[in-house]
Amino acid sequence: MPSVEPFLLRSTTMWLLLQSVLLLASCLRSAAAFPKGCYPSEEEGLKTFRCSNARLTEVPKDIPNDTNKLYLDSNRIPFLPRDAFRDLPLLLELDLSHNAIAGVESGAFRGLGDHLHSLDLSSNRLVSVSKDAFSNLKAKVNLSNNPWLCDCRLQELIRTVELVAGSSGGIVCDSSVQEEHVGKAFLQVIADTDFCNMYKKTTDIAMLVTMFGWFAMVISYLVYYVRQNQEDARRHLEYLKSLPSKQRRSEESSTISTVV
């Protein structure tokens, strides 16, 4: 009777070989789906997806949805559209530093509010961003080394987000509604200047000037209208006086009748 052990050994070897081939095929298929320069890994027990220096011009579409840490730093991404990260319900850290990001649409970070705890947007091209773009985010945010316009909009944004410790000094006025603030740290500037109150005062003054302008136009029109009527009445009286007395009485009666 033939021995069973060699048969079992061959079967086990074939099964292990088949499993290895299937696993390798799965890995190759997954790798092929990722953008060039991107790869998944595991760091400190967290699922990590790295796309650093991958020459990306947009946020990749095929990021594994169980990713905990996402590195998109040192690329060429210019803009973050609405729902850019909506399929990443487990994301804890997001690094977008050293890109060309100049615009962040409201809702770009929608879906990350409850779990994201670190967001790096440093060293980009951000000039002005609405506070609504960061609504409901609980993450600590790094906004340093961007060419910020120091105004009420930036002041509202800084009040909305929680900054990474030590990063506030890197938020510097590249331009400002007041020239003397250029080159200064924004938090140093707003210690003495309330941009939003200044904006409100400017708006109020503009409204008063506009209302005064309309009021002056109305008064000018009324004065012109009254003077024009007075001139017409004076000319009509002079005309009546120039008529023969009988015709004048007839004209006056006609005028009175028309008025009545």
Side-chain angles (χ1 to χ4, degrees), residues 183-255:
K184 295 182 179 179
F186 183 68
L187 292 190
Q188 174 189 346
V189 170
I190 60 173
D192 302 315
T193 305
D194 188 337
F195 285 101
C196 295
N197 189 46
M198 182 192 310
Y199 175 78
K200 184 177 182 301
K201 286 180 178 178
T202 303
T203 304
D204 289 345
I205 291 172
M207 289 181 64
L208 285 172
V209 170
T210 302
M211 290 174 63
F212 179 79
W214 280 106
F215 182 72
M217 287 177 62
V218 171
I219 294 299
S220 299
Y221 176 77
L222 288 175
V223 169
Y224 170 79
Y225 180 78
V226 169
R227 286 182 177 176
Q228 188 67 31
N229 282 352
Q230 287 177 340
E231 183 65 21
D232 289 344
R234 184 184 63 78
R235 289 175 180 172
H236 188 64
L237 287 174
E238 289 179 354
Y239 168 73
L240 292 177
K241 290 177 181 178
S242 66
L243 294 174
S245 58
K246 190 173 182 180
Q247 185 178 354
R248 183 169 63 247
R249 282 196 298 272
S250 176
E251 288 280 347
E252 287 175 349
S253 298
S254 177
T255 301

Side-chain angles (χ1 to χ4, degrees), residues 29 31 38 40 57 61 66 126 137 152 195 234 242:
R29 188 166 57 250
C38 298
T57 56
K61 306 295 183 186
D66 60 348
L126 296 171
L137 268 188
C152 179
F195 285 101
R234 184 184 63 78
S242 66

Side-chain angles (χ1 to χ4, degrees), residues 31-62:
F34 300 142
K36 184 179 179 180
C38 298
Y39 61 92
S41 64
E42 189 164 321
E43 300 177 7
E44 301 176 351
L46 296 174
K47 298 287 183 69
T48 303
F49 193 72
R50 286 190 175 274
C51 287
S52 305
N53 290 294
R55 298 183 179 181
L56 299 176
T57 56
E58 63 179 3
V59 177
K61 306 295 183 186
D62 298 317

Side-chain angles (χ1 to χ4, degrees), residues 91-159:
L91 195 62
L92 302 174
E93 297 182 19
L94 176 57
D95 189 348
L96 290 160
S97 63
H98 296 90
N99 272 280
I101 300 171
V104 180
E105 190 173 8
S106 295
F109 305 111
R110 187 162 52 187
L112 303 181
D114 294 333
H115 43 84
L116 190 72
H117 63 70
S118 176
L119 172 60
D120 194 345
L121 282 165
S122 63
S123 301
N124 276 283
R125 298 178 184 174
L126 296 171
V127 175
S128 183
V129 180
S130 170
K131 64 178 180 178
D132 296 335
F134 297 85
S135 60
N136 301 320
L137 268 188
K138 299 175 183 176
K140 292 183 178 179
V141 184
N142 188 345
L143 297 172
S144 61
N145 299 319
N146 282 281
W148 291 109
L149 165 64
C150 290
D151 61 358
C152 179
R153 205 175 192 202
L154 180 58
Q155 182 172 321
E156 289 181 335
L157 173 60
I158 297 300
R159 287 174 176 172

